[in-house]
């Protein structure tokens, strides 16, 4: 049991979740390393949601609400840290959820499919019995996508994604949104909207934003997207990383 008074309480809770997920068998070995990289960046921004991240979240939610076929892509890390919160966001904005694993094995896909079902989300895409296509005809694991999900999506939220996969998705002409604590990652640089925040803070905040933006005029949402400059916002995000004593 971690005492609540521990200065790194929240961070240690997340570590616990990752270790538990690893024992349950749906994380690749490198998942814990990727988590550690995220942790380091979170430490440097004070484990708080920054202003540029909030701005990007508003634009991301606006883009998803205006999309015809928005999809949230989930991997093991995202599931371990925020399964219920992802389901809530998907329900709020009317998005699909698709399993998309860097190291895809039938066993991992099966466990994650069950997890979402047990948490109340039945129509999970990218499962073993789903109709899988290859983006841009690239016959490679990185290019697999569910026919009714990522393959035909116009906007995709890819939290904690790897750069190769992000590149393929971007080249296939889709609008890409990422949640990635590293503003220097290839994924952050490649995305149309990059949210430099911890997934555990970002997803619930986006659900709140969705409740607000759903009641707003569509033209206003379009203008928010039009006015957003991801490169500029990433620069501002990077400025939030300061080494303080
Ligand atoms: P890229 O291939 O995009 O350059 P990478 O090789 O660092 O980046 P991966 O290790 O495949 O990418 O993906 C993990 C990414 O997710 C890292 O950039 C890491 O900072 C980020 N990350 C890890 N944990 C979290 C978290 N809890 N919330 C948000 N981002 C996270």
């Amino acid at each position: 049991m971690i005492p609540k008074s521990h200065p790194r309480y929240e961070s240690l809770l997340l570590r616990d979740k990752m270790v538990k997920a690893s024992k349950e068998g749906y994380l690749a070995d490198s998942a814990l390393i990727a988590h550690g990289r995220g942790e380091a960046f979170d430490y440097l921004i004070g484990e708080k949601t920054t202003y540029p991240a909030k701005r990007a979240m508003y634009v991301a939610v606006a883009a998803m609400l205006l999309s015809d076929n928005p999809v949230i892509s989930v991997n093991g890390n995202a599931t371990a840290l925020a399964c219920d919160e992802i389901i809530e966001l998907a329900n709020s904005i009317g998005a699909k959820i698709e399993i998309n694993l860097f190291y895809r094995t039938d066993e991992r896909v099966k466990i994650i499919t069950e997890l979402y079902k047990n948490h109340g989300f039945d129509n999970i895409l990218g499962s073993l019995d789903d109709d899988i296509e290859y983006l841009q005809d690239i016959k490679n694991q990185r290019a697999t996508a569910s026919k009714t999900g990522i393959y035909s999506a116009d906007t995709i939220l890819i939290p904690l994604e790897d750069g190769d996969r992000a590149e393929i998705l971007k080249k296939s002409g889709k609008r890409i949104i990422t949640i990635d604590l590293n503003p220097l990652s290839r994924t952050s640089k490649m995305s149309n909207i990059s949210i430099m925040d911890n997934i555990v803070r970002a997803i619930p905040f986006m659900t709140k934003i969705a409740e607000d933006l759903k009641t707003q005029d569509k033209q206003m949402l379009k203008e928010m997207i039009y006015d957003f400059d991801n490169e500029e916002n990433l620069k501002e995000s990077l400025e939030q990383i300061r080494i303080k004593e």
Side-chain angles (χ1 to χ4, degrees):
M1 232 354 222
I2 310 156
K4 275 201 166 168
S5 56
H6 194 290
R8 310 233 59 77
Y9 178 72
E10 296 292 337
S11 168
L12 293 175
L13 272 189
L14 298 187
R15 277 192 188 179
D16 259 11
K17 285 188 177 183
M18 292 298 293
V19 170
K20 184 168 166 271
S22 188
K23 286 186 182 148
E24 284 172 15
Y26 64 92
L27 294 185
D29 292 343
S30 59
L32 296 178
I33 300 170
H35 181 76
R37 183 174 290 170
E39 249 187 13
F41 280 99
D42 208 11
Y43 195 98
L44 292 172
I45 58 168
E47 293 166 341
K48 286 193 193 79
T49 301
T50 64
Y51 180 72
K54 284 186 187 164
R55 183 197 282 135
M57 282 191 249
Y58 270 89
V59 177
V61 173
M64 293 188 91
L65 286 172
L66 292 179
S67 297
D68 293 326
N69 189 12
V71 176
I72 304 176
S73 162
V74 294
N75 58 16
N77 288 47
T79 303
L81 296 172
C83 175
D84 287 328
E85 292 79 1
I86 288 167
I87 293 173
E88 217 181 320
L89 177 63
N91 288 337
S92 167
I93 56 180
K96 293 171 181 165
I97 302 179
E98 178 167 339
I99 302 170
N100 162 29
L101 306 182
F102 190 89
Y103 298 106
R104 189 179 166 98
T105 66
D106 286 358
E107 180 62 13
R108 285 190 195 120
V109 172
K110 214 169 123 202
I111 300 173
I112 295 175
T113 304
E114 280 308 306
L115 252 166
Y116 279 91
K117 285 191 177 161
N118 292 341
H119 284 244
F121 197 88
D122 286 328
N123 295 324
I124 184 98
L125 299 173
S127 62
L128 293 180
D129 48 11
D130 199 357
D131 207 353
I132 301 292
E133 296 273 344
Y134 288 95
L135 292 157
Q136 300 176 277
D137 278 334
I138 303 173
K139 297 265 183 274
N140 156 329
Q141 280 282 27
R142 307 276 165 273
T144 53
S146 162
K147 201 170 177 182
T148 55
I150 289 177
Y151 188 76
S152 50
D154 45 358
T155 303
I156 315 171
L157 172 61
I158 48 167
L160 285 59
E161 185 58 90
D162 129 89
D164 293 348
R165 170 83 175 165
E167 187 173 10
I168 292 171
L169 291 171
K170 183 71 191 292
K171 280 192 181 149
S172 68
K174 295 161 193 310
R175 179 187 270 137
I176 307 295
I177 302 165
T178 192
I179 300 171
D180 189 331
L181 277 159
N182 179 3
L184 298 167
S185 75
R186 289 178 300 154
T187 306
S188 289
K189 287 186 172 165
M190 221 171 300
S191 296
N192 300 92
I193 306 165
S194 307
I195 301 162
M196 180 197 69
D197 200 10
N198 197 317
I199 187 170
V200 300
R201 293 190 300 269
I203 299 271
F205 194 67
M206 288 169 79
T207 305
K208 278 198 193 133
I209 294 172
E211 294 312 313
D212 171 19
L213 292 190
K214 272 197 277 191
T215 64
Q216 306 289 334
D217 178 46
K218 281 194 174 169
Q219 188 55 34
M220 190 196 97
L221 305 191
K222 279 185 195 161
E223 280 165 22
M224 279 169 63
I225 300 166
Y226 183 78
D227 290 341
F228 180 72
D229 180 337
N230 199 47
E231 214 175 306
E232 194 50 46
N233 203 58
L234 267 180
K235 259 191 222 157
E236 276 186 47
S237 299
L238 199 52
E239 284 163 13
Q240 305 294 318
I241 299 176
R242 292 198 208 100
I243 311 293
K244 306 175 216 106
E245 278 198 68

